[in-house]
Every structure is written in C-alpha cells, then in structure tokens.
Amino acid sequence: MKAIAVFPGEKAVRLIDHAEPKITAPNQVKLRMIEVGICGTDRDITSFQYGFPPEGFDYLVLGHESLGEVVETGAGVKSVKPGDLVVTTVRRPCAHDWCVPCGAGRQDFCASGDYTERGIKQRHGFMTEFVVDEERYLNPVPRELRDHAVLTEPLTIAEKSLLQLWKIQERLPWGCPHTEAEGPGHCHKAVVLGAGPVGLLGAMALRVAGFDVWVYSRTHSHENKDAILDMIGATFIAAETNTVEQMAQQVGSIDVVYEAVGASSLAFDVLKQLGTNAVFIFTGVPGLHAPIPVDADRIMRDMVLKNQIAVGSVNAPPESFAAAIRDLTEFQKRWPDALSKLITGRFPIDQAVDPLTKDVGGIKNIITIAS
Ligand code: BGC
Ligand code: ZN
C-alpha cells in the first residue's frame, strides 16, 4: 500500500510501498485512513532534525494527526465497529514497570522518556492507506465532524493545557462570581502567542471556555486568520507593529498565556508581562540555538511576588481527545466557517511530499488518502 516515509540516513522523503498491516490480536482494529494533517513536528522530521524509524527500519512512515474509518475489528473489540470514524492517540507507553504514569495510561507524562509516538518516534505513522492499532488508542468521532475531525489531534494540545490550567488554579479562588453561567474562564484574560493552527485552535478553545482572548503574532500574512479571529471574537495584535510591552498595555493584567510558537526570546519577553496569580503555558518546542539574555531578576521577582506559574505541556491523554471532540462540535455550531477556513489546503497522498518539504503557505494543510 502507499505510504509517505522519511529516510533519515538518506535525507529523503518519498512515497513508498509499505506492507499492509493485519489484525493479529483480539483487541486490535484496522482503519482505512481518510485524512492526515501536517504540523511543525512533521516539518522538523522532514528536515531531518527529529524523528526516529522503528527498530529494523531505515524509514519512518509519517503522520500523527489523523482521521480514519474502522474497516475490521478483532474478536474482543467492543467500543467501535466497521464504519465508525476514529482519531488515534499518538503516544504509546514505555516498557518500564517503574514508570508510574505509563502504567496508569498517562504516557503523556512518561517518566522514562522511552515512550514511542506514531509517526514521530519509533513507530510508523498514519500517512498511509491502512493502519492497525489497539482499541484503547482509538477515539470515536461523530459523523457530523467528518470534515474537521483531522483537527482533533492539534486541538488536544490546547485541551491538555486547559486541563493543566484548571488543576493549577485550584490552588486559589479563581472563579468569576458574577458570570458563572458563562463558563469557568469568564472575566479572565488570555494571550495566545502564535496564529498557526495550534494557536488558532487554542484561541477557539479559550473562547469556548469563556476567556477574553488576544492573539499576538508575527506571521499575519494569511487573510483567513483575520476572518477566523473575527468570527471567534478574539483580538489580533500584530507583533510587527506592537512591542511586547505595548501588547501587554492593550490587554491589561494577563491571566493566562498560551504559547504556540516555540520562540524562546518572545516567550521570555512575554513571561515578564504576566499578571498576578497567572499561568504561562509553553507548548512550542524551540530549536537549540545559542543562549540569549533574559531579565531573570525581574522574572523571578514577579514569579514570587505575583504567585505566577510557568508550565510546559506535551502530548495528550484520552480525556483531552474527548474534550477536543466536544469542543470541535461546539466550534462547528458557533462558528461554522472558522474551521473550514483553518484548513487551507488538501493534497492527495501522491502529492504529499511538497507540502511536507516546501513552504506551500496556508494555515493547516491536509493529506487526503480516502473519501
Ligand atoms: C504532537 C504530540 C507529540 C509531540 C512531540 C506534537 O506535534 O502533536 O503528540 O507528543 O509532537 O513529539
Ligand atoms: Zn502535530
């Protein structure tokens, strides 16, 4: 069957013929892949900075943002049946008995670092015609979400972050007494750094959670971004014409920062502007460049005197996939066009190499495999 693979040794990315997987255990499910999204992690892999083939292979099949349809189930499978749409989780647990998070199904917090990830680290991904996986890694998706469900996985990054935020803020009374009906975040101000897919999906999730949202970003070249931010009621602040200080002045006291760019100098400049009792959530993975000057006294002083927390968040557990599917349903209801505008390009699998290796523009590009 067709698959898109990266060969790190050869520094090549190409369409290959890959053996079709078969169900070999009662808890397994076979999927026909419908669509697979491309993200920054894929770009890092196709520029050979990241990504690890499975043992015994000189290539890695790409793709971790997926939508598939169940075509066959093992004898013991109960939660899905042929015809169901599913999105598959990305990370698989490590094999160490002592890793408590992996043992508890929370490999998103794997303590050993020996986890694997489909399409990223030592397991083939989803940019191929058929995939077999265990039932417990599948998240059923309603048919109505067919056109946008490929956005589930990138949205889980925001959903896990929100989960962390609610848990962290249990440390203090953080409710909004006058407006409880409007959701848990209402009366709080969130700044999203970055207007790529992770940033925009995060902005939508923060809006649904009741936050006032500002998106601070440079790359504001694509007109769809304006339309999306308009629809969801978020305010754009252009980084080209507004310094971080000016941005902070416009927003007022910042309660939450959702970082989705992976640029450390920007992140630490914004960290300096964080408000009282606020939380800064890092989700971007920067390249390892030379050290930069940071206003460490100011930051440390404020972190103590203002009870601030900075937290990193990676990957996502099944509950965040469920939250993403709920939120996508809500986004579709509230802003029917915003999700469609986020998906700016669809490429057949035979033409997948270009959007994976060249700058083809747009916000979220998708590889279509089956209809
Ligand atoms: C994926 C995560 C993954 C992370 C690090 C991201 O692009 O969405 O599932 O854990 O990369 O590999
Ligand atoms: Zn991704």
Side-chain angles (χ1 to χ4, degrees), residues 39 41 50 64-65 90-91 115 117 120 153-154 157 285 314-316:
C39 81
T41 304
Y50 195 57
H64 60 275
E65 303 184 353
V90 177
R91 193 177 280 195
Y115 61 82
E117 289 181 338
I120 301 174
E153 198 278 343
I157 305 302
V285 183
V314 70
N315 197 253

Side-chain angles (χ1 to χ4, degrees), residues 87-150:
V87 172
T88 307
T89 54
V90 177
R91 193 177 280 195
R92 304 291 172 264
C94 73
H96 305 288
D97 310 334
W98 57 264
C99 180
V100 175
C102 281
R106 286 304 303 266
Q107 49 270 19
D108 59 309
F109 280 107
C110 175
S112 72
D114 291 333
Y115 61 82
T116 56
E117 289 181 338
R118 294 209 64 160
I120 301 174
K121 187 171 179 274
Q122 297 160 311
R123 269 182 203 271
H124 288 312
F126 307 126
M127 229 174 259
T128 182
E129 291 174 274
F130 294 97
V131 158
V132 168
D133 217 327
E134 288 176 37
E135 175 182 21
R136 62 179 160 147
Y137 299 128
L138 307 182
N139 304 280
V141 170
R143 269 280 149 193
E144 305 83 77
L145 280 185
R146 159 69 183 78
D147 292 345
H148 303 125
V150 69

Side-chain angles (χ1 to χ4, degrees), residues 1-123:
M1 62 175 184
K2 291 177 188 174
I4 299 291
V6 59
F7 293 76
E10 270 179 62
K11 295 209 183 312
V13 183
R14 59 177 178 265
L15 182 70
I16 61 163
D17 185 34
H18 180 70
E20 187 172 321
K22 287 194 189 71
I23 289 185
T24 56
N27 63 350
Q28 289 178 339
V29 177
K30 185 170 179 177
L31 309 175
R32 174 192 297 122
M33 298 319 296
I34 298 175
E35 294 188 321
V36 178
I38 299 176
C39 81
T41 304
D42 298 306
R43 300 297 303 249
D44 289 347
I45 298 172
T46 61
S47 54
F48 319 107
Q49 302 171 51
Y50 195 57
F52 309 91
E55 227 177 271
F57 285 85
D58 60 351
Y59 65 86
L60 169 75
V61 174
L62 282 165
H64 60 275
E65 303 184 353
S66 70
L67 172 65
E69 183 182 32
V70 175
V71 288
E72 194 188 330
T73 54
V77 171
K78 297 209 174 68
S79 59
V80 293
K81 57 179 188 317
D84 287 354
L85 295 181
V86 294
V87 172
T88 307
T89 54
V90 177
R91 193 177 280 195
R92 304 291 172 264
C94 73
H96 305 288
D97 310 334
W98 57 264
C99 180
V100 175
C102 281
R106 286 304 303 266
Q107 49 270 19
D108 59 309
F109 280 107
C110 175
S112 72
D114 291 333
Y115 61 82
T116 56
E117 289 181 338
R118 294 209 64 160
I120 301 174
K121 187 171 179 274
Q122 297 160 311
R123 269 182 203 271

